[in-house]
Amino acid sequence: MPPQSPRTVLVTGSTAGIGEAIAVAFARGGDRVIVNGRDEARTAAAAVRVREAAGGAGEVVPVAADVAGEEGAQRLLDAEPAVDVLVNNLGIFAAQPVFEIPDEEWRRFFEVNVLSGVRLARLYAPAMAERGWGRVVFISSESSVLIPTEMVHYGMTKTAQLAVARGMAQELSGSGVTVNTVLPGPTLTPGVEEFIRDRVGDDVSFEEAERRFIAEERPTSLLGRLIRPEEVASLVHYVGSEASSATTGAALKVDGGVAPALIP
Ligand SMILES: NC(=O)c1ccc[n+]([C@@H]2O[C@H](COP(=O)([O-])OP(=O)(O)OC[C@H]3O[C@@H](n4cnc5c(N)ncnc54)[C@H](OP(=O)(O)O)[C@@H]3O)[C@@H](O)[C@H]2O)c1
């Protein structure tokens, strides 16, 4: 059974975009939410926004730490020794032709997008299992199953998350702790807005740029528009809840139908 007192929910990379929306969803539900980013001031400001958006329902605690590295993960653990729900949301993306990506960049993408979540799960999940309840959610992407030609290194990390989460779910079998991945599709975040502007140009309105991007670069989208961060957050909130107790080792899509395979 989930803890009786408010659950502690850690959302990495939650000073913007999907992470911030996920933090709001859990805070609205009355959970105690840890907001995380690299910079003290940005993290504190995000915590204020999350608290306001949640209408004061749950406690919101900012913890600044660069969780891409061991030191930052340890700082987070020192500040918050126990969490009930870990959302490994932190992730970076950038377009670069595959044969021009140097070794260092492959390593950086692996460290930030994969190892950060592996390390935090290693730090928090065994204690969840001892308490008999927990949720670990990896935020992957439709790019895990539809490798984008313009960012193969990103796709590689997102596929790796599926394997990692499935393996951890197997390890935690029968413990009350579930491990899942959520696969968002193209979502309107500040970073994606900039990415689309770069690819489509800024001589048209953003609405038109969004339409062209989806039509030309994500033509399999059934939604026909970018997903909104709140739409991703509502699935993550469900996966982090008691209601999702029979869902583990799963990959769940919230991609507007972009990935055409019937099963991820
Ligand atoms: N947006 C999409 O279309 C889309 C689609 C599919 C999947 N996803 C996945 O969804 C997740 C979130 O994406 P997003 O687009 O919402 O990201 P975003 O808007 O770029 O936000 C990234 C967040 O991560 C934080 N951050 C960056 N490096 C960090 C580090 N080393 N340690 C701690 N925090 C760090 C940033 O905070 P500071 O700058 O304040 O540190 C910011 O809060 C990613 O895993 C991404 O792969 C996104």
Side-chain angles (χ1 to χ4, degrees):
M1 286 299 288
Q4 294 307 302
S5 51
R7 304 174 314 163
T8 295
V9 180
L10 166 59
V11 188
T12 64
S14 47
T15 64
I18 292 173
E20 183 172 334
I22 293 171
V24 170
F26 281 101
R28 268 197 194 128
D31 292 314
R32 180 173 175 273
V33 178
I34 315 304
V35 167
N36 161 254
R38 288 163 295 185
D39 176 77
E40 295 277 352
R42 277 168 59 82
T43 309
V48 170
R49 286 196 305 276
V50 170
R51 207 173 289 130
E52 282 173 6
E59 189 187 350
V60 182
V61 181
V63 178
D66 182 342
V67 296
E70 276 180 74
E71 211 180 296
Q74 189 58 47
R75 181 159 341 123
L76 199 50
L77 184 72
D78 292 344
E80 291 294 332
V83 305
D84 302 298
V85 181
L86 166 63
V87 183
N88 284 315
N89 168 74
L90 166 63
I92 53 170
F93 68 95
Q96 192 166 12
V98 64
F99 296 124
E100 292 173 20
I101 304 170
D103 289 1
E104 204 36 58
E105 199 63 352
W106 283 98
R107 285 195 196 97
R108 186 171 79 94
F109 268 71
F110 180 77
E111 295 259 343
V112 178
N113 289 5
V114 184
L115 200 49
S116 63
V118 168
R119 192 181 285 119
L120 289 174
R122 194 171 62 214
L123 291 173
Y124 285 114
M128 292 179 193
E130 274 170 31
R131 294 192 298 274
W133 196 92
R135 298 283 181 266
V136 180
V137 188
F138 284 82
I139 305 303
S140 175
S141 167
E142 101 279 7
S143 297
S144 61
V145 290
L146 283 178
I147 303 298
T149 311
E150 75 279 10
M151 40 185 188
V152 175
H153 54 343
Y154 174 74
M156 173 275 292
T157 64
K158 294 288 140 180
T159 311
Q161 288 180 306
L162 302 183
V164 164
R166 175 69 203 186
M168 287 182 178
Q170 290 170 195
E171 178 66 24
L172 291 165
S173 164
S175 68
V177 181
T178 68
V179 187
N180 293 289
T181 45
V182 166
L183 281 58
T187 304
L188 181 55
T189 58
V192 164
E193 190 171 341
E194 206 178 302
F195 181 78
I196 290 175
R197 276 282 171 222
D198 279 355
R199 296 189 74 78
V200 179
D202 49 14
D203 53 341
V204 293
S205 68
F206 183 74
E207 288 65 34
E208 177 57 15
E210 175 179 353
R211 198 196 59 72
R212 282 191 203 171
F213 174 78
I214 293 291
E216 291 163 19
E217 303 210 26
R218 298 294 182 272
T220 52
S221 171
L222 304 178
L223 200 61
R225 63 165 171 80
L226 291 169
I227 297 153
R228 276 20 187 191
E230 300 71 29
E231 296 177 303
V232 176
S234 55
L235 178 59
V236 178
H237 185 243
Y238 164 73
V239 176
S241 73
E242 174 60 14
S244 70
S245 50
T247 299
T248 190
L252 304 161
K253 296 193 282 189
V254 51
D255 69 351
V258 163
L262 295 182
I263 297 174

